[in-house]
PDB file of all heavy atoms in Angstrom:
ATOM      1  N   THR N  59      10.994   1.301   8.624  1.00 55.00           N
ATOM      2  CA  THR N  59      11.311  -0.128   8.662  1.00 55.00           C
ATOM      3  C   THR N  59      10.064  -1.000   8.619  1.00 55.00           C
ATOM      4  O   THR N  59      10.044  -2.042   7.973  1.00 55.00           O
ATOM      5  CB  THR N  59      12.134  -0.459   9.931  1.00 55.00           C
ATOM      6  OG1 THR N  59      13.271   0.379   9.943  1.00 55.00           O
ATOM      7  CG2 THR N  59      12.556  -1.904   9.955  1.00 55.00           C
ATOM      8  N   ARG N  72       7.649  -7.271  -0.049  1.00 98.00           N
ATOM      9  CA  ARG N  72       8.886  -6.531   0.218  1.00 98.00           C
ATOM     10  C   ARG N  72       9.047  -5.470  -0.854  1.00 98.00           C
ATOM     11  O   ARG N  72       8.632  -5.649  -2.002  1.00 98.00           O
ATOM     12  CB  ARG N  72      10.093  -7.455   0.281  1.00 98.00           C
ATOM     13  CG  ARG N  72      10.362  -8.152  -1.023  1.00 98.00           C
ATOM     14  CD  ARG N  72      11.812  -8.544  -1.160  1.00 98.00           C
ATOM     15  NE  ARG N  72      12.018  -9.300  -2.375  1.00 98.00           N
ATOM     16  CZ  ARG N  72      12.249  -8.752  -3.565  1.00 98.00           C
ATOM     17  NH1 ARG N  72      12.291  -7.456  -3.724  1.00 98.00           N
ATOM     18  NH2 ARG N  72      12.438  -9.526  -4.628  1.00 98.00           N
ATOM     19  N   LEU N  73       9.627  -4.364  -0.459  1.00 98.00           N
ATOM     20  CA  LEU N  73       9.822  -3.287  -1.420  1.00 98.00           C
ATOM     21  C   LEU N  73      10.694  -3.761  -2.577  1.00 98.00           C
ATOM     22  O   LEU N  73      11.634  -4.539  -2.396  1.00 98.00           O
ATOM     23  CB  LEU N  73      10.448  -2.071  -0.741  1.00 98.00           C
ATOM     24  CG  LEU N  73       9.492  -1.302   0.177  1.00 98.00           C
ATOM     25  CD1 LEU N  73      10.257  -0.260   0.979  1.00 98.00           C
ATOM     26  CD2 LEU N  73       8.361  -0.665  -0.610  1.00 98.00           C
ATOM     27  N   SER N  96      -1.384  -1.370 -17.459  1.00 56.00           N
ATOM     28  CA  SER N  96      -0.958  -0.374 -18.439  1.00 56.00           C
ATOM     29  C   SER N  96       0.192  -0.950 -19.258  1.00 56.00           C
ATOM     30  O   SER N  96       0.999  -1.735 -18.762  1.00 56.00           O
ATOM     31  CB  SER N  96      -0.547   0.924 -17.745  1.00 56.00           C
ATOM     32  OG  SER N  96       0.456   0.672 -16.795  1.00 56.00           O
ATOM     33  N   ALA N 102      14.196  -4.564 -20.068  1.00 89.00           N
ATOM     34  CA  ALA N 102      14.412  -4.762 -18.640  1.00 89.00           C
ATOM     35  C   ALA N 102      15.333  -3.673 -18.084  1.00 89.00           C
ATOM     36  O   ALA N 102      15.179  -3.236 -16.939  1.00 89.00           O
ATOM     37  CB  ALA N 102      14.976  -6.146 -18.376  1.00 89.00           C
ATOM     38  N   LEU N 122       4.873   3.296  -3.015  1.00 98.00           N
ATOM     39  CA  LEU N 122       5.470   2.081  -2.466  1.00 98.00           C
ATOM     40  C   LEU N 122       5.148   0.936  -3.407  1.00 98.00           C
ATOM     41  O   LEU N 122       3.981   0.636  -3.648  1.00 98.00           O
ATOM     42  CB  LEU N 122       4.932   1.794  -1.062  1.00 98.00           C
ATOM     43  CG  LEU N 122       5.222   2.868  -0.011  1.00 98.00           C
ATOM     44  CD1 LEU N 122       4.440   2.601   1.273  1.00 98.00           C
ATOM     45  CD2 LEU N 122       6.723   2.945   0.273  1.00 98.00           C
ATOM     46  N   TYR N 123       6.180   0.309  -3.929  1.00 97.00           N
ATOM     47  CA  TYR N 123       6.027  -0.752  -4.932  1.00 97.00           C
ATOM     48  C   TYR N 123       6.590  -2.036  -4.329  1.00 97.00           C
ATOM     49  O   TYR N 123       7.769  -2.099  -3.955  1.00 97.00           O
ATOM     50  CB  TYR N 123       6.799  -0.363  -6.188  1.00 97.00           C
ATOM     51  CG  TYR N 123       6.418  -1.064  -7.468  1.00 97.00           C
ATOM     52  CD1 TYR N 123       7.078  -0.735  -8.644  1.00 97.00           C
ATOM     53  CD2 TYR N 123       5.432  -2.037  -7.538  1.00 97.00           C
ATOM     54  CE1 TYR N 123       6.758  -1.348  -9.849  1.00 97.00           C
ATOM     55  CE2 TYR N 123       5.107  -2.655  -8.737  1.00 97.00           C
ATOM     56  CZ  TYR N 123       5.773  -2.307  -9.885  1.00 97.00           C
ATOM     57  OH  TYR N 123       5.467  -2.913 -11.074  1.00 97.00           O
ATOM     58  N   CYS N 134       6.020 -14.029  -6.830  1.00 97.00           N
ATOM     59  CA  CYS N 134       4.763 -14.447  -7.464  1.00 97.00           C
ATOM     60  C   CYS N 134       3.856 -13.276  -7.813  1.00 97.00           C
ATOM     61  O   CYS N 134       2.716 -13.481  -8.209  1.00 97.00           O
ATOM     62  CB  CYS N 134       4.036 -15.479  -6.605  1.00 97.00           C
ATOM     63  SG  CYS N 134       3.561 -14.908  -4.965  1.00 97.00           S
ATOM     64  N   ARG N 138       1.256  -2.131  -5.955  1.00 96.00           N
ATOM     65  CA  ARG N 138       1.811  -0.788  -5.777  1.00 96.00           C
ATOM     66  C   ARG N 138       0.798   0.120  -5.109  1.00 96.00           C
ATOM     67  O   ARG N 138      -0.401   0.066  -5.413  1.00 96.00           O
ATOM     68  CB  ARG N 138       2.196  -0.248  -7.154  1.00 96.00           C
ATOM     69  CG  ARG N 138       2.984   1.020  -7.154  1.00 96.00           C
ATOM     70  CD  ARG N 138       3.601   1.286  -8.526  1.00 96.00           C
ATOM     71  NE  ARG N 138       2.603   1.465  -9.556  1.00 96.00           N
ATOM     72  CZ  ARG N 138       2.356   2.629 -10.172  1.00 96.00           C
ATOM     73  NH1 ARG N 138       3.066   3.696  -9.895  1.00 96.00           N
ATOM     74  NH2 ARG N 138       1.438   2.697 -11.095  1.00 96.00           N
ATOM     75  N   THR N 159       0.348 -18.560  -4.321  1.00 95.00           N
ATOM     76  CA  THR N 159      -0.290 -19.511  -3.420  1.00 95.00           C
ATOM     77  C   THR N 159      -1.793 -19.514  -3.695  1.00 95.00           C
ATOM     78  O   THR N 159      -2.316 -18.632  -4.387  1.00 95.00           O
ATOM     79  CB  THR N 159      -0.026 -19.133  -1.949  1.00 95.00           C
ATOM     80  OG1 THR N 159      -0.513 -17.813  -1.727  1.00 95.00           O
ATOM     81  CG2 THR N 159       1.450 -19.205  -1.613  1.00 95.00           C
ATOM     82  N   ALA N 162      -3.562 -16.258  -2.689  1.00 97.00           N
ATOM     83  CA  ALA N 162      -2.666 -15.109  -2.865  1.00 97.00           C
ATOM     84  C   ALA N 162      -3.414 -13.817  -3.168  1.00 97.00           C
ATOM     85  O   ALA N 162      -2.975 -12.745  -2.741  1.00 97.00           O
ATOM     86  CB  ALA N 162      -1.646 -15.389  -3.964  1.00 97.00           C
ATOM     87  N   SER N 166      -2.477 -10.961  -0.624  1.00 97.00           N
ATOM     88  CA  SER N 166      -1.709  -9.816  -1.096  1.00 97.00           C
ATOM     89  C   SER N 166      -2.526  -8.529  -0.985  1.00 97.00           C
ATOM     90  O   SER N 166      -1.982  -7.462  -0.681  1.00 97.00           O
ATOM     91  CB  SER N 166      -1.209 -10.032  -2.527  1.00 97.00           C
ATOM     92  OG  SER N 166      -2.282 -10.171  -3.429  1.00 97.00           O
ATOM     93  N   ALA N 187     -10.590  -0.446 -12.023  1.00 92.00           N
ATOM     94  CA  ALA N 187     -10.525  -1.723 -12.739  1.00 92.00           C
ATOM     95  C   ALA N 187     -10.989  -1.488 -14.166  1.00 92.00           C
ATOM     96  O   ALA N 187     -11.896  -0.682 -14.406  1.00 92.00           O
ATOM     97  CB  ALA N 187     -11.423  -2.759 -12.072  1.00 92.00           C
ATOM     98  N   HIS N 188     -10.351  -2.184 -15.098  1.00 90.00           N
ATOM     99  CA  HIS N 188     -10.827  -2.117 -16.473  1.00 90.00           C
ATOM    100  C   HIS N 188     -12.244  -2.666 -16.542  1.00 90.00           C
ATOM    101  O   HIS N 188     -12.578  -3.623 -15.840  1.00 90.00           O
ATOM    102  CB  HIS N 188      -9.928  -2.930 -17.411  1.00 90.00           C
ATOM    103  CG  HIS N 188      -8.649  -2.256 -17.731  1.00 90.00           C
ATOM    104  ND1 HIS N 188      -7.425  -2.867 -17.624  1.00 90.00           N
ATOM    105  CD2 HIS N 188      -8.384  -0.996 -18.166  1.00 90.00           C
ATOM    106  CE1 HIS N 188      -6.482  -2.026 -17.967  1.00 90.00           C
ATOM    107  NE2 HIS N 188      -7.034  -0.886 -18.300  1.00 90.00           N
ATOM    108  N   LEU N 206     -17.597   4.515  -7.493  1.00 97.00           N
ATOM    109  CA  LEU N 206     -17.808   5.961  -7.512  1.00 97.00           C
ATOM    110  C   LEU N 206     -18.334   6.430  -8.856  1.00 97.00           C
ATOM    111  O   LEU N 206     -19.263   7.234  -8.924  1.00 97.00           O
ATOM    112  CB  LEU N 206     -16.503   6.693  -7.193  1.00 97.00           C
ATOM    113  CG  LEU N 206     -15.891   6.396  -5.822  1.00 97.00           C
ATOM    114  CD1 LEU N 206     -14.550   7.097  -5.680  1.00 97.00           C
ATOM    115  CD2 LEU N 206     -16.851   6.812  -4.717  1.00 97.00           C
ATOM    116  N   ARG N 219     -10.981   2.774   5.096  1.00 98.00           N
ATOM    117  CA  ARG N 219     -10.230   2.129   6.169  1.00 98.00           C
ATOM    118  C   ARG N 219     -11.154   1.454   7.175  1.00 98.00           C
ATOM    119  O   ARG N 219     -10.889   0.335   7.606  1.00 98.00           O
ATOM    120  CB  ARG N 219      -9.337   3.151   6.870  1.00 98.00           C
ATOM    121  CG  ARG N 219      -8.563   2.548   8.052  1.00 98.00           C
ATOM    122  CD  ARG N 219      -7.656   3.544   8.731  1.00 98.00           C
ATOM    123  NE  ARG N 219      -8.388   4.720   9.124  1.00 98.00           N
ATOM    124  CZ  ARG N 219      -7.858   5.935   9.224  1.00 98.00           C
ATOM    125  NH1 ARG N 219      -6.588   6.127   8.953  1.00 98.00           N
ATOM    126  NH2 ARG N 219      -8.582   6.954   9.578  1.00 98.00           N
ATOM    127  N   THR N 224     -12.791  -3.439   9.885  1.00 97.00           N
ATOM    128  CA  THR N 224     -13.888  -4.293  10.351  1.00 97.00           C
ATOM    129  C   THR N 224     -13.773  -5.698   9.771  1.00 97.00           C
ATOM    130  O   THR N 224     -13.981  -6.691  10.474  1.00 97.00           O
ATOM    131  CB  THR N 224     -15.247  -3.669   9.954  1.00 97.00           C
ATOM    132  OG1 THR N 224     -15.379  -2.404  10.615  1.00 97.00           O
ATOM    133  CG2 THR N 224     -16.407  -4.576  10.334  1.00 97.00           C
ATOM    134  N   PRO N 227     -10.140  -9.003  10.341  1.00 96.00           N
ATOM    135  CA  PRO N 227     -10.019 -10.222  11.166  1.00 96.00           C
ATOM    136  C   PRO N 227     -10.613 -11.465  10.485  1.00 96.00           C
ATOM    137  O   PRO N 227     -10.030 -12.552  10.582  1.00 96.00           O
ATOM    138  CB  PRO N 227     -10.772  -9.873  12.453  1.00 96.00           C
ATOM    139  CG  PRO N 227     -10.687  -8.371  12.537  1.00 96.00           C
ATOM    140  CD  PRO N 227     -10.765  -7.903  11.104  1.00 96.00           C
ATOM    141  N   GLU N 234      -5.181 -17.666   7.725  1.00 90.00           N
ATOM    142  CA  GLU N 234      -4.450 -18.433   8.724  1.00 90.00           C
ATOM    143  C   GLU N 234      -4.951 -19.860   8.839  1.00 90.00           C
ATOM    144  O   GLU N 234      -4.223 -20.736   9.297  1.00 90.00           O
ATOM    145  CB  GLU N 234      -4.493 -17.721  10.069  1.00 90.00           C
ATOM    146  CG  GLU N 234      -3.663 -16.446  10.039  1.00 90.00           C
ATOM    147  CD  GLU N 234      -3.896 -15.523  11.209  1.00 90.00           C
ATOM    148  OE1 GLU N 234      -4.792 -15.801  12.043  1.00 90.00           O
ATOM    149  OE2 GLU N 234      -3.181 -14.506  11.293  1.00 90.00           O
TER     150      GLU N 234
END
Side-chain angles (χ1 to χ4, degrees):
T59 305
R72 63 155 176 86
L73 287 171
S96 56
L122 299 170
Y123 200 179
C134 61
R138 190 166 63 111
T159 58
S166 62
H188 284 130
L206 299 175
R219 178 179 54 209
T224 297
E234 290 167 355

